[in-house]
Amino acid sequence: MEATVTHADTTEGRPFKASYGKMMIWFFIVSDALTFSGFLAAYGFSRFKFMDTWPIADEVFTHVPFMHGNPQPMIYVAFMTFVLIISSVTMVLAVDAGHKLKQNRVAWLMFATIIGGLIFVGSQAWEWSTFIRGEYGAVETKGGQILQFVDAETHKQVALSEFAVHLEDDFTGEGATTYSVAGVLKGFEEHGDLLVRTQKLTEDGHKTVLTRAESVAKLEGAKHVVEGANLIRNEYGSKLFGDFFFFITGFHGFHVFSGVILNIIIFANVIVGTYEKRKSYEMVEKVGLYWHFVDLVWVFVFTFFYLV
Amino acid sequence: MAHDTHKLEIFRGALKFKSNQQKIVGVLILLSVITAIEVVLGIIKPESLMGMVLGMKLLNWIFIILTIVKAYYIAWDFMHIRDEVKWFRISLVVPLLILIPYLAFILLVEGNYIYNVYLDGFIKWDF
């Protein structure tokens, strides 16, 4: 035992001059990177398939905590990205301090990393809950198209609650929406200043707004009221958009979560002095690699979900 | 990795840091600046960058290139690939460089094909 622990950091005579554990975490990361690329490529596939009807991310992710009703596209995800980059930096500084065998400094920096990770996971949970709750509501036609409602003058989206009416025979059982299709249609009739917006993108990248006559005709096909998002349909548009959002950010969030758990375990080991006895902080470096990988994946998720 | 074998220069040696810590802060600043550029471009969406280049908007190409630049610095400086031996570096990066563009290419071409089937075929919406 003595021999193995004392020489854990020795790299002479090993392939690639890397220790076994470090090489294996690297190969795990390579395979995990391929998994994520598979998901993102599948997302790209579906997006190309519905190129001219895909939701516009800027209109979907506009929420910032404590600033309700004040749409701020991008700001919150930018904050999340920044948190993750910062926690990556504290991690790499912890690895650096580990090389110099500074136990206290490693502990504090790992603590900061864990806090960063928790802020990120919390932000993601909040993002999910806003996405699931939805903001405006929409109706779905028989053919599966999502129809949203906009003001005739400003072309800004109008929430169902601003015009739809409650009918007496509204279904109230499980899975019931706040309004029935008939209630939405009645409200639409009463409000002459409303128009329907389809998913179709125009040449300059905006959603198509129909005329009043076209809107009324289109609404004849309405079948469901959609509020927020679930795995079957979502009010933002293409069904696959919601599914991929849940799946990819969920899988990434799971990685962040397990990264936080691993960090906590290693943090505890640092505090009790396990690595001080070994005279090697290589374990910190290994979880560090995983943590940076999580950051690396987020950089791509950020680009493909929120920017492109 | 021995304790003081960090390579301390980035931008092909144009920028050299005195210590590993300084280099980390330098890379942090670089990553933050790139993220800020991305966010600002994402909010304004300048009209001049909306032209199509190779089937995609110029702005989207810029986003993807900036992302790859960010990924490079995270891997090279935070994950210390810069300090690994050459063939370890190659065995990690080359499989990804071959497989990911390949997968993206075939899936996007296929997606585009299905888009065209919808566009001029008789299938109206979802399948």
Side-chain angles (χ1 to χ4, degrees):
Chain A
M1 202 53 203
E2 179 72 42
T4 48
V5 282
T6 336
H7 299 290
D9 208 12
T10 313
T11 51
E12 271 114 69
R14 291 176 186 267
F16 298 142
K17 291 190 183 154
S19 72
Y20 177 79
K22 193 163 128 187
M23 196 148 74
M24 286 306 121
I25 189 78
W26 260 115
F27 287 129
F28 164 72
I29 286 173
V30 169
S31 69
D32 214 19
L34 288 173
T35 309
F36 270 108
S37 352
F39 292 157
L40 284 173
Y43 172 79
F45 169 77
S46 303
R47 188 166 170 173
F48 268 52
K49 194 162 114 179
F50 297 120
M51 196 51 142
D52 54 0
T53 51
W54 202 253
I56 302 168
D58 273 6
E59 294 178 356
V60 179
F61 306 104
T62 59
H63 305 272
V64 178
F66 315 116
M67 290 180 69
H68 189 71
N70 183 6
Q72 295 291 334
M74 306 277 307
I75 298 297
Y76 196 54
V77 256
F79 163 76
M80 284 165 71
T81 311
F82 198 65
V83 166
L84 212 51
I85 289 178
I86 293 287
S87 84
S88 228
V89 167
T90 55
M91 188 78 226
V92 77
L93 288 173
V95 173
D96 189 63
H99 285 309
K100 294 170 189 151
L101 300 177
K102 292 181 183 162
Q103 185 185 7
N104 250 322
R105 197 171 148 78
V106 177
W108 277 111
L109 285 164
M110 285 213 64
F111 181 69
T113 309
I114 292 165
I115 298 296
L118 289 176
I119 295 178
F120 182 85
V121 176
S123 305
Q124 211 164 34
W126 186 85
E127 180 109 325
W128 268 47
S129 80
T130 5
F131 188 80
I132 291 170
R133 198 180 321 118
E135 189 171 11
Y136 299 106
V139 294
E140 190 187 292
T141 64
K142 255 181 276 180
Q145 288 188 59
I146 289 290
L147 304 178
Q148 297 164 330
F149 299 94
V150 294
D151 189 275
E153 270 167 36
T154 59
H155 283 199
K156 285 221 166 78
Q157 254 191 283
V158 177
L160 293 185
S161 56
E162 284 175 42
F163 68 91
V165 286
H166 282 289
L167 298 177
E168 272 177 20
D169 53 346
D170 270 0
F171 174 60
T172 50
E174 198 179 326
T177 45
T178 321
Y179 303 96
S180 62
V181 174
V184 172
L185 293 185
K186 192 152 181 287
F188 186 78
E189 253 168 57
E190 286 168 4
H191 290 76
D193 55 344
L194 288 180
L195 294 177
V196 158
R197 193 173 87 154
T198 64
Q199 285 170 257
K200 195 105 183 143
L201 290 167
T202 55
E203 293 270 304
D204 50 351
H206 297 290
K207 298 281 178 188
T208 312
V209 177
L210 303 177
T211 64
R212 181 76 191 177
E214 285 169 337
S215 302
V216 173
K218 199 84 181 173
L219 278 174
E220 276 169 21
K223 192 131 187 268
H224 298 280
V225 173
V226 187
E227 289 169 317
N230 53 41
L231 289 173
I232 301 165
R233 50 178 69 88
N234 65 75
E235 67 169 55
Y236 311 105
S238 180
K239 298 158 197 284
L240 286 168
F241 176 72
D243 297 345
F244 274 111
F245 176 79
F246 287 127
F247 193 64
I248 294 180
T249 64
F251 197 65
H252 176 264
F254 175 66
H255 273 74
V256 180
F257 178 72
S258 33
V260 169
I261 301 286
L262 289 174
N263 278 342
I264 289 175
I265 295 171
I266 300 302
F267 174 62
N269 279 344
V270 171
I271 288 189
V272 299
T274 312
Y275 309 125
E276 200 60 29
K277 276 181 222 138
R278 272 186 211 175
K279 294 277 167 255
S280 159
Y281 279 81
E282 213 200 32
M283 279 311 287
V284 177
E285 190 174 343
K286 283 179 223 163
V287 289
L289 284 175
Y290 180 72
W291 190 252
H292 298 313
F293 170 69
V294 166
D295 181 23
L296 189 68
V297 169
W298 179 255
V299 164
F300 283 91
V301 173
F302 172 65
T303 301
F304 292 115
F305 261 94
Y306 299 96
L307 287 176
V308 169
Chain B
M1 186 174 58
H3 296 172
D4 35 20
T5 52
H6 292 293
K7 290 184 184 149
L8 295 175
E9 66 235 29
I10 62 173
F11 299 141
R12 300 204 153 269
L15 193 55
K16 206 162 173 157
F17 295 101
K18 287 199 195 75
S19 70
N20 194 36
Q21 268 188 40
Q22 276 189 14
K23 185 179 81 167
I24 294 165
V25 174
V27 173
L28 164 68
I29 293 170
L30 178 70
L31 293 179
S32 310
V33 168
I34 295 178
T35 308
I37 294 174
E38 283 182 335
V39 171
V40 169
L41 283 179
I43 292 174
I44 326 177
K45 291 188 189 279
E47 212 45 56
S48 54
L49 298 177
M50 287 302 176
M52 299 297 261
V53 177
L54 292 174
M56 208 162 46
K57 278 182 203 145
L58 182 59
L59 183 64
N60 288 355
W61 282 113
I62 292 176
F63 283 144
I64 289 171
I65 290 165
L66 288 178
T67 304
I68 291 169
V69 170
K70 263 162 74 175
Y72 171 83
Y73 282 102
I74 291 175
W76 252 248
D77 290 308
F78 287 178
M79 299 169 96
H80 310 296
I81 286 201
R82 211 187 279 280
D83 302 327
E84 304 296 349
V85 292
K86 184 182 170 204
W87 281 99
F88 192 33
R89 221 155 48 201
I90 288 174
S91 72
L92 297 173
V93 175
V94 169
L96 298 177
L97 284 186
I98 295 171
L99 292 173
I100 296 173
Y102 170 62
L103 182 68
F105 172 74
I106 49 176
L107 281 185
L108 295 185
V109 168
E110 183 70 11
N112 194 42
Y113 163 74
I114 297 179
Y115 168 74
N116 284 311
V117 169
Y118 281 139
L119 201 62
D120 22 78
F122 60 90
I123 303 167
K124 259 192 100 174
W125 195 248
D126 219 336
F127 67 69

